[in-house]
Amino acid sequence: MIAKKICLIGSFAVGKTSLVRRFVESIFSEKYQTTIGVKIDKKIVQIPSQDVQLMIWDMEGRDEFSQHRTSYFRGAAGYFLVIDSTRPETLEVALETQEELQGQLGELPFIALITKRDLTEQRRLDPHRLATMEESGWEILETSAKTGINVERAFQRLAEKILDS
Amino acid sequence: MITESIFRELGILLIRVDLTTDNAVSEYHHIGEPPSWAEDFLPSESKTIPLTDIFPFIESFIPDAIACWNDNAAEKCQSGVWTEVAASSVQYQLEAQALKTDNQYIIAITNLTPTYQLRQHVYQKAREIALANEKLKLQLNQRQRQLQTLIEKTISERQSEEELNDVVKGSASAVMICKPDGGVEIINQALMDIYSVSHENPLQHRSLLAQWLKEAESIHPEIHRVVDSGGYWEGEFESESNGESKWIRLAIGPVLDNDGGIEHLVCIANDMSELRKSNREIEKLTDYDLTTQLPNRRHFWKQLTKHLDNCIRHKSSFALIYIDIDQFKRINEGLGHHGGDFLLATLASRLSRSVKRDDFIAHLGGDEFALIINMAREDIDLGKIAYRLMEKINKPTLIEEQNVSVSASVGIAIHPRDGRDATSLMKNADLAMYHAKEMGRNQFQLYAPHLGQHFMGRLKVENLLRQAINQGQFRLEYQPQICTGKNPYLRMEALIRWDHPEEGVIPPGQFIPIAEENGLIIDIGRWVLETACRQAKEYADTGLDLVMSVNVSAFQLKDIHFPATVIEVLSEIGLPAKYLELEITETTVMQDLDKVINILRELKKHGISIALDDFGSGFSSLNYLKNLPVDNLKLDRSFIHELPYSDEGKTITASLIKLAHDLNMKVIAEGVENNQQLDLLLEQGCDYIQGYFFYYPLDPQKIRDILTMLKAQPNYSWIESVSTTTLANKRQN
């Protein structure tokens, strides 16, 4: 079976670990638990052409305390840029990160995940900016680790994009 | 000395990586016995580890490691922390380091799990505060913009001044509406509160815009351009108010006239000082150790780098003192973690009180502390400082009604003499500290270049040892033990020798301690046992009854399967058990008396005899002796060495021989080198004599020659082979 490494990256507390836990273990917890360094999980996704084992690298959120290393992305076949729908600042971080990664890794398949879709009242992202990003070719999915919406789909889509690339 | 056992104790798994000529990884081997956590990951049988299968994370790290190994200037590189889930579902937090030493490529994997929770807690707290601040700031910005829009709308719609005043005065944010030249039109109470200005002094108001533009300019150089061109500007900067510094978030928005000229400026300010303060709290959380409240490792590195820069600029010097509490792990296990933490906090407080204000002390984690001592004068007595620190540590601490005393080993490196960068200084202070530990703990050591060479030499022996067994570089020599009475058996002790093809003869004293520390003693011990038994069998097959004495290390005795291994060897070789004697040291016995007694009983049940080596050298009570299933006592050579000139020595040997005989044990004196020693030992009734006076350790062929010669004589005996009449005379008497 083919194995692919994917990374989840974004600001701290955007819900990267929650997405992975929902996807791998079908669990969700409201409690925020910060990640230090990297945690690697595995899960097989079935896409029409074949099964793919995803090696999911859940990375520590980006902030002044975290130390992101180039090595973390080595061998990655694709990545998720994770953005918190309630924190516009996290969109800025995602944009900066995408620019950096593109410089480092070249054109790799990626998907921007807007998390916490269930918190509709607290949504603060500028829809125009998101539209512009989509126009420039970004694939954006709105997810909720709490309800599970689009979580499976996100991983499935990234696997498909990786195999198509 | 950094040895494998220390690595194991620290929970560090050492992996040697073999590279192909084109810099690809060909093989991985773990060095020494892996720490217990690693057993959760490593395969139980194979010694070659497909490391990247076990730790997928490592695959990404390897290219960095190779770059580091190929760069002679780089000393080590770290992988960063990762979480790995073992087959047992237990999660481990690990970190890898690439090191190159003695042309060996090493990956050291450290298990950070024991301290991870604390680190996680700190980062969690810091990020929770940062998250709360971020949300607060977001709300503030929204309110600020809404207000801005409302005020601009009110002005541009030419609503009454009264209405405008209502909007401005009712705002919690500080508001000032002014002309483009700074002339104040409206100002609210919130702004006057921040800047302590009054309605009565309009000049103070006028200067505010200019003050802001000037203050913000240093970090926001675009402010003039944006404001002058009628744009909207917002940002944060440090602003002075009556001698007090405040962090202000300011938004300046223009109200334009019909021609597009700036008619008014709406300035909305918020005092962010409290939020900034909580950011400093975050910094404090991540920079200080929670147990001791001292600066932590992260903080220490920042300080060390700063200190280095300063010293390089001012051509001054400083000392880096590295302190490691001796056997803290044992103390922690005994006292429990709360007790251990209390002890660390007490030591931290004592240490911080004993350094000067300009010096810097940090708790690097676990049982390690580090100090940066300014050396204003070159003749500053670092030894005196080290003693003072050690004294503070030695002072007893009352924990749960017990007085607990600890000691510490201290290593010192001086900048720039012992290192010009932070890593070299730390490495050298650490080497010095390990040297102090190896010299018996509770002492200090200044770094000297030979420590590094000594360390490298030791590492070299460790590496050579691994090949020695496979390449057949060991051999045994045998030293006869002469019976002073009429024992039908000949006896000899098997002694290991290592002939290295390039290094020459490496004495046992140099490699046995290393083999004991890295666990290789198990393989070496088995080889010695098999070889000696095979030799004894060969002699026995030629009709020579001979007891072969083989040394057993503490490490071997820790293995509950040891008796089974011995029996297996005897049965494979076909040597009757009565021809084998195992020698164990007094210190080995005392490490775990009950367990050792059980093992010895098991061995004796099969007919193997036991000798207690180095007897009298330990600190143990004689009381334990009566319970030990031992046949022979070997008097420590230090007693024999003093004979016959020391009266105390004579009394001790006589008493020990009598004690052994009363307990139905025989006595072997080793290290007998002259006639006088022999006379005295015979007088005292010693049963066996071993030493250069009779025979040096000999190779099997020489022993065979002697035995053949003796066998050819009627009533052969060792004694007749000795060219002294003393022993024969004594026997006749």
Side-chain angles (χ1 to χ4, degrees), chain A residues 32 34 38 60 63 74 87, chain B residues 60 83 120 124 127 134:
Chain A
Y32 167 52
T34 192
V38 176
E60 179 172 5
D63 64 8
R74 200 171 276 132
R87 292 160 60 204
Chain B
S60 297
T83 299
Q120 217 260 352
Q124 172 95 14
R127 284 177 175 147
E134 199 183 296

Side-chain angles (χ1 to χ4, degrees), chain A residues 5 12 32-40 57 60-61 63 65-66 69 71-72 74 86-88 124, chain B residues 57 60 63-64 78-83 91 116 119-120 123-124 126-127 130-131 134 138 142 282 286 298:
Chain A
K5 170 179 170 180
F12 69 97
Y32 167 52
Q33 191 151 24
T34 192
T35 304
I36 298 180
V38 176
K39 182 169 182 274
I40 306 169
W57 285 48
E60 179 172 5
D63 64 8
F65 310 117
S66 64
R69 294 156 197 269
S71 65
Y72 288 174
R74 200 171 276 132
T86 68
R87 292 160 60 204
R124 298 279 180 277
Chain B
F57 177 87
S60 297
D64 285 349
Q78 286 180 317
S79 69
V81 187
W82 83 95
T83 299
Q91 286 195 4
Y116 181 75
R119 188 170 167 182
Q120 217 260 352
Y123 276 64
Q124 172 95 14
R127 284 177 175 147
L131 202 59
E134 199 183 296
L138 189 74
Q142 269 182 328
I282 296 174
T286 50
R298 171 189 150 99

Side-chain angles (χ1 to χ4, degrees), chain B residues 26-76:
Chain B
S26 61
E27 265 187 11
Y28 302 98
H29 301 271
H30 64 79
I31 302 175
E33 197 189 328
S36 54
W37 67 264
E39 285 161 14
D40 233 2
F41 292 98
L42 298 176
S44 51
E45 285 162 18
S46 164
K47 278 196 175 176
T48 305
I49 324 154
L51 191 66
T52 47
D53 286 358
I54 301 167
F55 303 117
F57 177 87
I58 291 286
E59 196 156 8
S60 297
F61 176 56
I62 285 290
D64 285 349
I66 292 175
C68 170
W69 291 328
N70 288 333
D71 176 2
N72 288 331
E75 294 205 330
K76 60 180 180 183

Side-chain angles (χ1 to χ4, degrees), chain B residues 116 125 166 174 218 237 349 448 450 493 512 555 630 636 638 689:
Chain B
Y116 181 75
K125 199 86 194 147
D166 284 347
S218 59
F237 57 92
S349 133
H450 77 267
E493 181 181 359
I512 293 289
F555 224 85
V630 163
D636 190 58
S638 60
I689 308 290

Side-chain angles (χ1 to χ4, degrees), chain B residues 307-327:
Chain B
H307 229 83
L308 270 164
D309 290 346
N310 262 333
C311 284
I312 291 165
R313 236 189 342 264
H314 299 110
K315 296 199 167 98
S316 57
S317 179
F318 70 89
L320 174 57
I321 299 187
Y322 199 102
I323 301 174
D324 188 280
I325 309 298
D326 296 327
Q327 297 181 304

